[in-house]
Amino acid sequence: MTAFKNSNIKSFIIAFCFLTAISCNTSENKTASSKNDNPYQEKVDSIIGLMTLEEKLGQLNLPATGPITTGSSKSTDVVKKIEDGKIGGLFNLGDPKNIYEVQKIAVEKSRLGIPLIFGMDVIHGFKTTFPIPLGLSSSWDMEMIEKTAKIAASEASANGINWTFSPMVDISRDPRWGRVSEGNGEDPYLGSEIARAMVRGYQQDDLAAKNTLMSCVKHFALYGAPEAGRDYNTVDMSRIRMYNEYLPPYKAAVDEGVGSVMASFNEIDGIPATGNKWLLTDLLRDDWGFNGFVVSDYTGIYEMKAHGMGDEYAVTSLALKAGLDMDMAGDSPNIDAAYIKHLKGALEQGKIAMEDIDKAVARVLTAKYQLGLFDDPYRYCSEERSKNETYTQKNRDFARLVGAESTVLLKNEDQLLPLKKSGTVAVIGPLAKAGNNMPGTWSVSSDHNKAISVWDGLLQTVGESVNLLYAKGSNLDYDLELEKRATMFGKTIPRDGRTDQQLLDEALAVAKKSDVIVATIGESAEFSGESSSRTDIGIPQVQKDLLQALLKTGKPVVLVLFTGRPLTLVEESKTVPAILNVWFPGSEAGLSISDVLFGDVNPSGKLTATFPRNVGQVPLFYNHKNTGRPLGNKEGKFEKFKTNYLDIRNEPLYPFGYGLSYTSFDYSNFNLDKTSIAMDGEISVSVDVTNSGDYDGKEVVQLYIRDVVGSVTRPVKELKGFKKVNIKKGETKTVTFNISVEDLKFYNYDLDFVAEPGIFQVFVGTDSTTELMKEFELTE
């Protein structure tokens, strides 16, 4: 039973009576993100016919705010604007009672009673926090990923939120870029599958349901390919690369019915995405059939001035005519280019037409109908649901499992892992007790202080059977100022007052008392994320020094690596016997990590982003193309006048798709059911996978295809299928894939989506370096 009772909404009912005598049918409340006609068009047009220009512009205004004080004696500027119909939605409110009070102002005190939409960056969980998206993608488990979004939607909607700025599906091949942590890695096929899963999880099949969120795919487009890896920087690439490598995940989200799209900060072909008509209208709406609404990123319209696109009237007009409907965070005193402030002037100057404004307003109002807000504006405001459905033990137990399933075992020399639940374990490193960092970056709604640290997780799980010792060992970084920049937003790791040598001496003394050392080392949560680009993507030097000192004790060392990006780990890969990449596992991090360390969960994660040997190899990705002089310096064998480096081999340290297990898997009986197919045919691929080790485990079986000859150059391999299978020790399972002509298509020079006749190679294996290959021919 809801904690709030709907009161009579006088102005809302009056406006509603003008619109239609027919009540909203919630069965219609599905996304308009398709080529179907808008079922709400008549109702939307009726509202627009009642609106003043100021009220129309208000619907396009999305201010950022924190908690809002309401009531006659505590009126704020935001409250006054809501009453005047000058705000269409708000984001960063997360309390159902506060949202109810603010919504009540909109529907009872504004002239037309149009409800607000409430958004938030629910990126990888609400209160129950799951691994950062790059970590989550490493699970390769679409059903699990979809469920994380479903839980996030349930928790967020119970707290008044009805719109999330997620998923981020930007392809990235440059780990210098901090927001690689927020995406799904380097591959367009896997990224597309995850995009679909996330949209399904958030939206389900009814946006008006009380436990779903409208999804917003971002950042459209190409945001993950900035020059030099610097956030917000220029992106410049060919259309053929866009279509084949970077656009597919966005299109997958649109095809899945995503309700909204966020424009990116970067430029495309010299025009910022925020004002790029080719991108937001010609491609997104006309070619892809998207009928939802488009929102800017934070102050994105205003920032076009700095890009050199003109004055406030020019940039707001450019954005609106391009197809951008809602202005995020433009309504601020220091922002001098915003819809609410300047579209009226642009209209008077003839830069835009009323029709342009009405189109944008119609899309925003349609979204509110889809969400059921005209039927019940308070449907998402329930203190009872908030209390009973948020951060539940069931959700936390699932987050614990997801954290473990996303872990990637990078090295396990002499089967050091899993550890025995006995003896003495020294837990050493600056991240051992940093529970507030465990949710990772972009965890704005998480209660960071409730997250379980490695130390607390070990105490809870093995504290009675294992003698646990602790030492911090070092600070996060030698550089205090850099450390401050990497521990923002309530994720401070208190700097120890002792000297570096004193911290190290304590750690070595503790290490000598142990049977095995667990070194909790790597990045802090905000070492990656937005505006967290790095030129040095190694472990901070003070922690490297600690790790090498621990290795010199002669005790076995397990590196529990925290990171939001691929790191350069050549030294560690040579010297450390076991490396467990845990990313940032979320609110139950310590429990997830303990489960993997001590063998309650066999790690099955696989990398979705290539780990380079050093930053000079960046950008580095598996599905590259051959040059006319390929394969130089392969396996460390230098060849002059080939595509290589003088000082380092070409191959990455850890390739795409890589990840070990506590058991071993053997591949055999790789077969194709035919050697040629016609354009309307299909080919079946099968392979036997045997668990030849001592533990039950899960293997991600990966299928890659190479188009040997094309009208344009084609990648050396492309992921086209994968299956995560659970195989008991000693068991063999046959894994099958079906390849259709759709899997062979690509965008050619004319940007036609085609499959060309010829020879194709099929690869199956445990990662992208597999050489298990068969051929078939596609005929006319």
Side-chain angles (χ1 to χ4, degrees):
M1 181 176 179
T2 183
F4 304 123
K5 295 181 178 178
N6 291 355
S7 58
N8 292 327
I9 311 172
K10 183 177 180 181
S11 60
F12 173 78
I13 293 175
I14 292 173
F16 192 78
C17 289
F18 271 99
L19 308 178
T20 178
I22 303 172
S23 63
C24 292
N25 183 345
T26 57
S27 67
E28 294 177 338
N29 285 317
K30 296 183 179 181
T31 179
S33 196
S34 68
K35 294 184 179 180
N36 297 329
D37 292 336
N38 181 2
Y40 307 104
Q41 194 64 57
E42 184 177 347
K43 301 170 186 177
V44 165
D45 289 344
S46 297
I47 296 179
I48 292 175
L50 298 170
M51 299 175 80
T52 65
L53 175 60
E54 287 73 18
E55 288 168 334
K56 291 178 180 179
L57 300 183
Q59 287 302 300
L60 312 184
N61 184 26
L62 181 69
T65 184
I68 299 173
T69 55
T70 58
S72 58
S73 62
K74 295 182 179 180
S75 181
T76 66
D77 181 54
V78 174
V79 170
K80 181 65 166 60
K81 289 177 179 177
I82 295 172
E83 291 176 345
D84 292 343
K86 293 182 178 180
I87 289 178
L90 294 168
F91 69 103
N92 287 345
L93 281 177
D95 175 72
K97 185 176 182 180
N98 197 203
I99 290 175
Y100 172 86
E101 293 171 345
V102 173
Q103 188 74 288
K104 189 174 182 180
I105 294 169
V107 298
E108 293 192 13
K109 294 190 177 181
S110 69
R111 188 177 74 90
L112 294 179
I114 299 173
L116 301 173
I117 188 172
F118 292 92
M120 179 172 278
D121 284 290
V122 182
I123 306 299
H124 50 109
F126 185 67
K127 294 299 182 184
T128 303
T129 313
F130 301 101
I132 59 170
L134 184 60
L136 186 59
S137 71
S138 299
S139 72
W140 293 63
D141 189 327
M142 298 305 106
E143 183 178 344
M144 189 176 74
I145 289 172
E146 180 178 339
K147 188 174 178 180
T148 67
K150 188 174 181 179
I151 289 173
S154 178
E155 289 194 354
S157 62
N159 287 271
I161 308 301
N162 45 44
W163 182 27
T164 176
F165 307 122
S166 175
M168 188 194 111
V169 300
D170 301 313
I171 296 297
S172 179
R173 283 110 178 239
D174 190 338
R176 293 175 298 179
W177 186 59
R179 295 194 84 168
V180 66
S181 60
E182 198 184 335
N184 303 312
E186 68 190 46
D187 184 69
Y189 180 85
L190 179 62
S192 296
E193 293 299 300
I194 294 174
R196 293 186 184 98
M198 293 294 288
V199 172
R200 286 195 304 270
Y202 288 134
Q203 298 191 166
Q204 296 297 296
D205 59 356
D206 185 1
L207 279 174
K210 294 180 180 180
N211 61 345
T212 63
L213 298 175
M214 177 171 282
S215 178
C216 182
V217 67
K218 65 183 187 184
H219 305 84
F220 194 60
L222 319 181
Y223 184 49
E227 292 180 354
R230 287 202 310 271
D231 212 351
Y232 321 121
N233 204 10
T234 301
V235 174
D236 192 10
M237 69 174 65
S238 68
R239 291 286 172 97
I240 200 167
R241 170 162 274 188
M242 287 186 206
Y243 275 74
N244 283 314
E245 301 174 32
Y246 283 81
L247 292 179
Y250 308 112
K251 187 176 186 300
V254 170
D255 291 344
E256 197 63 41
V258 72
S260 60
V261 171
M262 182 183 291
S264 56
F265 287 118
N266 54 279
E267 66 175 67
I268 297 170
D269 287 344
I271 301 175
T274 307
N276 194 308
K277 183 178 180 295
W278 172 80
L279 181 73
L280 302 183
T281 295
D282 299 348
L283 177 66
L284 180 63
R285 298 190 187 281
D286 296 344
D287 290 357
W288 292 359
F290 176 72
N291 285 335
F293 75 100
V294 179
V295 63
S296 76
D297 206 337
Y298 201 100
T299 68
I301 295 174
Y302 161 73
E303 292 175 24
M304 286 198 291
K305 292 182 67 178
H307 277 280
M309 302 306 294
D311 63 15
E312 56 268 31
Y313 299 104
V315 297
T316 51
S317 302
L318 186 66
L320 185 71
K321 293 185 77 67
L324 190 129
D325 305 308
M326 208 169 200
D327 178 9
M328 178 188 286
D331 188 9
S332 303
N334 60 331
I335 301 299
D336 61 354
Y339 278 2
I340 194 72
K341 299 175 183 178
H342 299 106
L343 283 186
K344 182 178 180 180
L347 182 65
E348 293 169 348
Q349 295 174 27
K351 295 180 180 293
I352 57 171
M354 186 63 76
E355 179 185 5
D356 300 319
I357 295 173
D358 288 349
K359 282 183 182 179
V361 174
R363 291 168 185 152
V364 173
L365 292 177
T366 295
K368 294 180 178 182
Y369 269 110
Q370 292 172 308
L371 289 165
L373 292 172
F374 282 101
D375 183 40
D376 177 7
Y378 308 116
R379 67 192 313 120
Y380 300 97
C381 303
S382 171
E383 286 187 302
E384 182 179 348
R385 278 193 65 210
S386 175
K387 179 181 178 181
N388 296 328
E389 299 181 23
T390 305
Y391 200 54
T392 65
Q393 190 60 53
K394 182 178 180 181
N395 290 351
R396 292 174 61 190
D397 288 345
F398 185 65
R400 175 179 179 172
L401 174 63
V402 175
E405 292 283 332
S406 301
T407 297
V408 182
L409 180 62
L410 297 177
K411 185 180 180 182
N412 194 20
E413 188 176 280
D414 298 327
Q415 294 294 297
L416 175 57
L417 292 174
L419 299 177
K420 296 178 181 178
K421 294 182 181 178
S422 60
T424 299
V425 175
V427 184
I428 298 173
L431 290 157
K433 292 188 175 181
N436 60 352
N437 276 251
M438 295 301 98
T441 189
W442 272 116
S443 51
V444 297
S445 55
S446 178
D447 290 330
H448 299 112
N449 293 328
K450 290 184 179 180
I452 300 173
S453 69
V454 176
W455 177 253
D456 288 338
L458 294 177
L459 285 177
Q460 289 184 40
T461 53
V462 298
E464 294 184 2
S465 57
V466 176
N467 181 29
L468 298 170
L469 305 176
Y470 165 76
K472 184 174 182 180
S474 76
N475 290 305
L476 184 68
D477 199 276
Y478 282 127
D479 186 340
L480 173 60
E481 294 306 312
L482 176 58
E483 185 171 306
K484 288 179 180 178
R485 294 194 292 272
T487 54
M488 302 174 72
F489 310 125
K491 299 170 188 173
T492 302
I493 300 175
R495 191 144 178 118
D496 200 290
R498 291 171 289 176
T499 66
D500 295 322
Q501 189 60 50
Q502 287 172 326
L503 288 169
L504 181 58
D505 289 344
E506 179 191 50
L508 294 176
V510 167
K512 289 177 181 178
K513 299 175 185 178
S514 70
D515 300 310
V516 63
I517 301 167
V518 172
T520 54
I521 278 173
E523 293 189 312
S524 57
E526 295 304 325
F527 239 127
S528 58
E530 185 170 359
S531 190
S532 294
S533 297
R534 295 180 64 190
T535 58
D536 180 353
I537 54 173
I539 294 172
Q541 189 61 49
V542 67
Q543 297 183 64
K544 288 173 70 74
D545 293 343
L546 168 63
L547 183 59
Q548 292 306 310
L550 294 175
L551 289 166
K552 289 177 182 178
T553 66
K555 299 295 178 70
V557 176
V558 178
L559 170 55
V560 174
L561 180 68
F562 292 91
T563 180
R565 54 160 55 87
L567 295 178
T568 52
L569 302 169
V570 170
E571 182 180 11
E572 291 76 19
S573 70
K574 292 177 180 178
T575 60
V576 182
I579 304 175
L580 199 61
N581 184 8
V582 299
W583 310 104
F584 290 94
S587 53
E588 311 304 300
L591 302 177
S592 302
I593 293 167
S594 179
D595 288 343
V596 177
L597 280 174
F598 289 93
D600 294 311
V601 175
N602 189 347
S604 58
K606 300 275 190 174
L607 297 179
T608 58
T610 298
F611 275 48
R613 295 179 180 275
N614 65 34
V615 74
Q617 289 182 300
V618 171
L620 187 65
F621 47 96
Y622 86 92
N623 49 348
H624 60 84
K625 297 181 178 182
N626 262 338
T627 69
R629 298 183 175 191
L631 303 178
N633 211 357
K634 185 178 182 181
E635 298 178 352
K637 298 176 182 178
F638 177 77
E639 296 179 66
K640 191 69 173 176
F641 307 117
K642 294 287 189 177
T643 303
N644 58 22
Y645 302 99
L646 284 173
D647 57 343
I648 195 171
R649 59 198 296 177
N650 283 349
E651 301 100 314
L653 181 62
Y654 299 117
F656 176 86
Y658 175 85
L660 303 177
S661 169
Y662 293 155
T663 192
S664 55
F665 298 100
D666 298 328
Y667 286 69
S668 62
N669 297 325
F670 174 32
N671 291 300
L672 309 184
D673 72 338
K674 53 181 72 76
T675 57
S676 67
I677 57 171
M679 286 293 178
D680 59 350
E682 189 173 85
I683 193 165
S684 178
V685 180
S686 63
V687 65
D688 289 345
V689 184
T690 301
N691 183 338
S692 57
D694 298 326
Y695 298 88
D696 297 345
K698 296 178 182 178
E699 169 71 337
V700 180
V701 183
Q702 301 161 43
L703 180 143
Y704 298 85
I705 290 178
R706 182 179 185 183
D707 187 349
V708 178
V709 177
S711 59
V712 295
T713 57
R714 306 289 293 122
V716 295
K717 280 178 184 172
E718 294 179 283
L719 181 71
K720 290 295 182 178
F722 59 89
K723 289 186 179 180
K724 190 168 188 176
V725 290
N726 191 10
I727 308 176
K728 295 180 180 180
K729 62 179 180 180
E731 182 183 16
T732 297
K733 285 190 175 180
T734 300
V735 180
T736 60
F737 300 92
N738 292 320
I739 300 173
S740 72
V741 174
E742 289 300 311
D743 297 310
L744 309 180
K745 288 183 176 180
F746 65 98
Y747 288 94
N748 65 14
Y749 187 81
D750 297 317
L751 300 183
D752 296 322
F753 194 51
V754 299
E756 297 178 344
I759 300 298
F760 290 82
Q761 295 174 340
V762 182
F763 301 82
V764 174
T766 190
D767 63 46
S768 59
T769 64
T770 179
E771 295 183 355
L772 197 60
M773 187 268 287
K774 299 277 186 180
E775 290 186 347
F776 70 92
E777 184 178 9
L778 176 65
T779 61
E780 289 282 8

PDB file of all heavy atoms in Angstrom, residues 603-616:
ATOM      1  N   PRO A 603      36.307 -18.394 -10.630  1.00  0.00           N
ATOM      2  CA  PRO A 603      36.226 -17.226 -11.516  1.00  0.00           C
ATOM      3  C   PRO A 603      35.992 -17.629 -12.964  1.00  0.00           C
ATOM      4  O   PRO A 603      36.569 -18.600 -13.460  1.00  0.00           O
ATOM      5  CB  PRO A 603      37.582 -16.541 -11.336  1.00  0.00           C
ATOM      6  CG  PRO A 603      38.486 -17.614 -10.822  1.00  0.00           C
ATOM      7  CD  PRO A 603      37.622 -18.511  -9.989  1.00  0.00           C
ATOM      8  N   SER A 604      35.139 -16.859 -13.635  1.00  0.00           N
ATOM      9  CA  SER A 604      34.811 -17.167 -15.036  1.00  0.00           C
ATOM     10  C   SER A 604      34.761 -15.913 -15.892  1.00  0.00           C
ATOM     11  O   SER A 604      34.359 -15.971 -17.045  1.00  0.00           O
ATOM     12  CB  SER A 604      33.470 -17.891 -15.115  1.00  0.00           C
ATOM     13  OG  SER A 604      32.429 -17.112 -14.543  1.00  0.00           O
ATOM     14  N   GLY A 605      35.158 -14.778 -15.346  1.00  0.00           N
ATOM     15  CA  GLY A 605      35.138 -13.543 -16.113  1.00  0.00           C
ATOM     16  C   GLY A 605      36.165 -13.547 -17.232  1.00  0.00           C
ATOM     17  O   GLY A 605      37.217 -14.197 -17.145  1.00  0.00           O
ATOM     18  N   LYS A 606      35.833 -12.827 -18.298  1.00  0.00           N
ATOM     19  CA  LYS A 606      36.729 -12.688 -19.452  1.00  0.00           C
ATOM     20  C   LYS A 606      36.838 -11.206 -19.810  1.00  0.00           C
ATOM     21  O   LYS A 606      35.834 -10.471 -19.774  1.00  0.00           O
ATOM     22  CB  LYS A 606      36.182 -13.452 -20.659  1.00  0.00           C
ATOM     23  CG  LYS A 606      36.002 -14.953 -20.437  1.00  0.00           C
ATOM     24  CD  LYS A 606      37.284 -15.725 -20.687  1.00  0.00           C
ATOM     25  CE  LYS A 606      37.020 -17.224 -20.706  1.00  0.00           C
ATOM     26  NZ  LYS A 606      38.227 -17.990 -21.083  1.00  0.00           N
ATOM     27  N   LEU A 607      38.022 -10.780 -20.168  1.00  0.00           N
ATOM     28  CA  LEU A 607      38.252  -9.370 -20.469  1.00  0.00           C
ATOM     29  C   LEU A 607      37.441  -8.918 -21.680  1.00  0.00           C
ATOM     30  O   LEU A 607      37.366  -9.622 -22.683  1.00  0.00           O
ATOM     31  CB  LEU A 607      39.730  -9.113 -20.738  1.00  0.00           C
ATOM     32  CG  LEU A 607      40.700  -9.365 -19.578  1.00  0.00           C
ATOM     33  CD1 LEU A 607      42.128  -9.096 -20.028  1.00  0.00           C
ATOM     34  CD2 LEU A 607      40.349  -8.501 -18.357  1.00  0.00           C
ATOM     35  N   THR A 608      36.861  -7.728 -21.571  1.00  0.00           N
ATOM     36  CA  THR A 608      36.167  -7.129 -22.704  1.00  0.00           C
ATOM     37  C   THR A 608      36.934  -5.924 -23.255  1.00  0.00           C
ATOM     38  O   THR A 608      36.450  -5.236 -24.142  1.00  0.00           O
ATOM     39  CB  THR A 608      34.755  -6.694 -22.294  1.00  0.00           C
ATOM     40  OG1 THR A 608      34.840  -5.760 -21.209  1.00  0.00           O
ATOM     41  CG2 THR A 608      33.931  -7.893 -21.850  1.00  0.00           C
ATOM     42  N   ALA A 609      38.110  -5.704 -22.691  1.00  0.00           N
ATOM     43  CA  ALA A 609      38.998  -4.654 -23.182  1.00  0.00           C
ATOM     44  C   ALA A 609      40.426  -5.176 -23.105  1.00  0.00           C
ATOM     45  O   ALA A 609      40.838  -5.774 -22.106  1.00  0.00           O
ATOM     46  CB  ALA A 609      38.843  -3.379 -22.341  1.00  0.00           C
ATOM     47  N   THR A 610      41.178  -4.950 -24.141  1.00  0.00           N
ATOM     48  CA  THR A 610      42.554  -5.427 -24.232  1.00  0.00           C
ATOM     49  C   THR A 610      43.450  -4.712 -23.229  1.00  0.00           C
ATOM     50  O   THR A 610      43.362  -3.494 -23.067  1.00  0.00           O
ATOM     51  CB  THR A 610      43.081  -5.183 -25.657  1.00  0.00           C
ATOM     52  OG1 THR A 610      42.276  -5.934 -26.572  1.00  0.00           O
ATOM     53  CG2 THR A 610      44.522  -5.604 -25.796  1.00  0.00           C
ATOM     54  N   PHE A 611      44.322  -5.462 -22.563  1.00  0.00           N
ATOM     55  CA  PHE A 611      45.321  -4.885 -21.658  1.00  0.00           C
ATOM     56  C   PHE A 611      46.637  -4.732 -22.424  1.00  0.00           C
ATOM     57  O   PHE A 611      47.246  -5.728 -22.829  1.00  0.00           O
ATOM     58  CB  PHE A 611      45.541  -5.788 -20.446  1.00  0.00           C
ATOM     59  CG  PHE A 611      44.566  -5.569 -19.321  1.00  0.00           C
ATOM     60  CD1 PHE A 611      43.192  -5.506 -19.562  1.00  0.00           C
ATOM     61  CD2 PHE A 611      45.005  -5.435 -18.017  1.00  0.00           C
ATOM     62  CE1 PHE A 611      42.283  -5.313 -18.533  1.00  0.00           C
ATOM     63  CE2 PHE A 611      44.111  -5.240 -16.975  1.00  0.00           C
ATOM     64  CZ  PHE A 611      42.751  -5.174 -17.225  1.00  0.00           C
ATOM     65  N   PRO A 612      47.100  -3.502 -22.647  1.00  0.00           N
ATOM     66  CA  PRO A 612      48.338  -3.293 -23.404  1.00  0.00           C
ATOM     67  C   PRO A 612      49.572  -3.586 -22.550  1.00  0.00           C
ATOM     68  O   PRO A 612      49.499  -3.680 -21.328  1.00  0.00           O
ATOM     69  CB  PRO A 612      48.268  -1.803 -23.750  1.00  0.00           C
ATOM     70  CG  PRO A 612      47.518  -1.205 -22.602  1.00  0.00           C
ATOM     71  CD  PRO A 612      46.497  -2.233 -22.207  1.00  0.00           C
ATOM     72  N   ARG A 613      50.708  -3.712 -23.202  1.00  0.00           N
ATOM     73  CA  ARG A 613      51.972  -3.857 -22.483  1.00  0.00           C
ATOM     74  C   ARG A 613      52.439  -2.509 -21.941  1.00  0.00           C
ATOM     75  O   ARG A 613      52.968  -2.429 -20.836  1.00  0.00           O
ATOM     76  CB  ARG A 613      53.039  -4.460 -23.394  1.00  0.00           C
ATOM     77  CG  ARG A 613      52.706  -5.872 -23.810  1.00  0.00           C
ATOM     78  CD  ARG A 613      53.745  -6.470 -24.741  1.00  0.00           C
ATOM     79  NE  ARG A 613      53.330  -7.826 -25.084  1.00  0.00           N
ATOM     80  CZ  ARG A 613      53.592  -8.891 -24.323  1.00  0.00           C
ATOM     81  NH1 ARG A 613      54.280  -8.749 -23.214  1.00  0.00           N
ATOM     82  NH2 ARG A 613      53.163 -10.091 -24.685  1.00  0.00           N
ATOM     83  N   ASN A 614      52.277  -1.486 -22.737  1.00  0.00           N
ATOM     84  CA  ASN A 614      52.538  -0.136 -22.239  1.00  0.00           C
ATOM     85  C   ASN A 614      51.647   0.843 -22.981  1.00  0.00           C
ATOM     86  O   ASN A 614      50.971   0.484 -23.955  1.00  0.00           O
ATOM     87  CB  ASN A 614      54.028   0.248 -22.337  1.00  0.00           C
ATOM     88  CG  ASN A 614      54.531   0.342 -23.761  1.00  0.00           C
ATOM     89  OD1 ASN A 614      53.808   0.742 -24.678  1.00  0.00           O
ATOM     90  ND2 ASN A 614      55.790  -0.027 -23.974  1.00  0.00           N
ATOM     91  N   VAL A 615      51.631   2.073 -22.499  1.00  0.00           N
ATOM     92  CA  VAL A 615      50.687   3.042 -23.034  1.00  0.00           C
ATOM     93  C   VAL A 615      51.000   3.408 -24.478  1.00  0.00           C
ATOM     94  O   VAL A 615      50.120   3.888 -25.210  1.00  0.00           O
ATOM     95  CB  VAL A 615      50.658   4.295 -22.123  1.00  0.00           C
ATOM     96  CG1 VAL A 615      51.903   5.135 -22.307  1.00  0.00           C
ATOM     97  CG2 VAL A 615      49.398   5.122 -22.343  1.00  0.00           C
ATOM     98  N   GLY A 616      52.230   3.140 -24.919  1.00  0.00           N
ATOM     99  CA  GLY A 616      52.596   3.438 -26.294  1.00  0.00           C
ATOM    100  C   GLY A 616      51.874   2.589 -27.321  1.00  0.00           C
ATOM    101  O   GLY A 616      51.843   2.936 -28.504  1.00  0.00           O
TER     102      GLY A 616
END
